[in-house]
Amino acid sequence: MNRFNQLYAWLMLLPALVLLLAFTHIPALTTLWHSLFFPARGRNPSEFAGLENYRSMLDDAVFWQAFHNNLWYAIGTVPTSMALALAMALWVNSKISGRAALRLAYFTPTMLPMIAVANIWLFFYTPEIGLFNKILNSVGLTGINWLGDPNWALISLMLMTIWKESGFFMIFYLAALQSLNKDIYAAAAVENASPLYVFRRITLPLLMPTTLFVLVNAVLNAFKLVDHLFILTKGGPNNATNLLLYYIYENAFSFFDSNYAAALTLVLLILLILLAVVQFLLVERRIHYR
Amino acid sequence: MSQLEIRQLRKEWQETLAVKNISFEIAQGEFVALLGPSGCGKSTTLKMIAGLEHPSSGSISLNGQDITHLPPGKRGLAMVFQSYALFPHLSIAENIVFGLKARGVGALERDQRLKRVTDLVNLGDHLSKRPSQLSGGQCQRVALARAIIAEAPLCLMDEPLSNLDAKLRNEMRAELRALQQRLGMTVLYVTHDQVEAMSMADRILLLNQGEIAQCGTPNALYQTPASTFVARFIGNPPMNLINKGSFLLGIRPEHIHLATDGIAAEVIRCDYHGADTIIDISLPSLSHQTIKLRLPGHQLLAAGSALNINWRSQDQHVFCSTTGQRLSDYVLPTLTTHSLIQKEFHHDTQH
């Protein structure tokens, strides 16, 4: 009976297991294996390289540039979009007229595909006829070459990302806010707690599980989401907006060095795992789960 | 001087009228139960007094000060919620002193008051725990402690015991009443449970459809119900109402006794409750109306068996059959139950 149960359990697990192995774990291992070779040239078979791909990564200035860009991109987008998301959620959760329309309006950027968003923002950022420069010109300021100036290009991407992401994170905060017990707030009101005190001592701590979830997702997205680069900058100018995943794509499909791309992929994977672990360790201790 | 004064308090939403111009007063140190069936407006009334709901009209004053439009925190009252409304992420101690902290009471005084209150409600061992680690009864004590520590002139309680199991509820009832007496708290206690209201309150305000059906001591509501609603709401099983055409004759099941020469009755079914038995009987002399009677002990009576019942004339109540209002004041006291019923019966058959 017990053996039958065991078999039964494994049979139930089998479909998910097959999919996970076939599309996640085996590819990860082949990537690791792949990263240990030089690319095949002409008719010569690919040659074993050992850690040579990883060593050349250390000397690769573009890799380091993409790495730095990506860190700044994460630092620039994650906290801002989360703070905005929380602020919007608090606002559309309050008793205001037309809040359904407001919620929808905030959520719209999330529903659009990143490529479409990039196309819209390309119009905003265009130097001569773009919306932003027209506004700047109308108040007497000279326009900015948003995507062409290396000093502004990454910031421009961050702005757009914040615009797109905060609506998505707002939904999580809104759901969490709506699940909070209303009586708790009534009790706090009877105890003469000011709105700020209630926010600091009640709302924020009770939202911590959501904050962790959103944080992990936001950081992952900062490294994963590169669709807009294809439309807006293609990593330029002079790699000023090159991000890790885009650099991997370039190596694999523009430079046809899939082995180096495999090595980069592995580095990115390890980086993301490390980041997730750090976030869990840092935040977990301060979370109250119901 | 009465501590809380409610004048013509009214609450209406678009279509519904939840509270219809009710007025009442609560004196210092009094325990008043706001009793009524669900949807009668008792919780709305409490929320308006707490400031969690704005009244459509009317006024609320506490110790002579008009608090109708003050925010909840400025009204000087404490509240215990049905769901306890404890802060799940804070320790028990932090939960209890939350209000003191928010009001900026110093740490030293906070600790002294915390110590005093936790001794009162027996929570000393749990101060560093979280609410999720406590039982329902203990959570209720925390909520109570949070209300007591505020030392507010008025404490509002919104069905505080209804989430507890029956046994615990009985214990907490006695404990809560003892605590209220000991501290001289002024309490307005909302409940739908007549047993809670009867056993704890100095005075009961019985609400029905947003209006005060009757206000008085538990004994007054039981002995002289002002209407058929009060008569049927207070007492379990509810008072029997026998239709006599122009009026309703009310008699409580526990006041009916078996007699040798009483009114003939026929047993329909018996419901054994342990200490007593509730028996449904039909009265052939009164067009087979069914009433309940309560007899002590285990009574095994087969359906269809014949009984004779009677009751003391001072135990019967008379209500107007159209308005449901009490009429007993002008029913002839000399009339015995038996003759009253017989007489009416003959009167009926002649037509």
Side-chain angles (χ1 to χ4, degrees), chain B residues 14-27:
Chain B
Q14 281 88 11
E15 308 250 306
T16 48
L17 188 53
V19 178
K20 300 173 190 168
N21 300 18
I22 65 170
S23 302
F24 63 92
E25 293 169 3
I26 300 179

Side-chain angles (χ1 to χ4, degrees), chain B residues 86 92 123 126 129-139 142:
Chain B
L86 301 181
I92 300 310
L123 275 172
H126 306 294
K129 289 183 184 167
R130 295 281 163 87
S132 57
Q133 293 167 283
L134 300 189
S135 67
Q138 288 166 330
C139 283
V142 179

Side-chain angles (χ1 to χ4, degrees), chain A residues 3-15:
Chain A
R3 185 168 293 174
F4 175 76
N5 272 348
Q6 289 249 333
L7 181 71
Y8 188 68
W10 279 109
L11 278 174
M12 296 300 278
L13 286 173
L14 193 63

Side-chain angles (χ1 to χ4, degrees), chain A residues 73 125 144-160 228-229 232-233 235-242:
Chain A
Y73 184 70
Y125 281 145
I144 295 167
N145 189 355
W146 295 94
L147 297 171
D149 184 339
N151 293 325
W152 279 99
L154 191 60
I155 294 170
S156 304
L157 290 190
M158 287 183 197
L159 278 178
M160 192 199 78
H228 46 311
L229 293 188
L232 293 176
T233 63
N238 191 21
N239 290 316
T241 59
N242 206 341

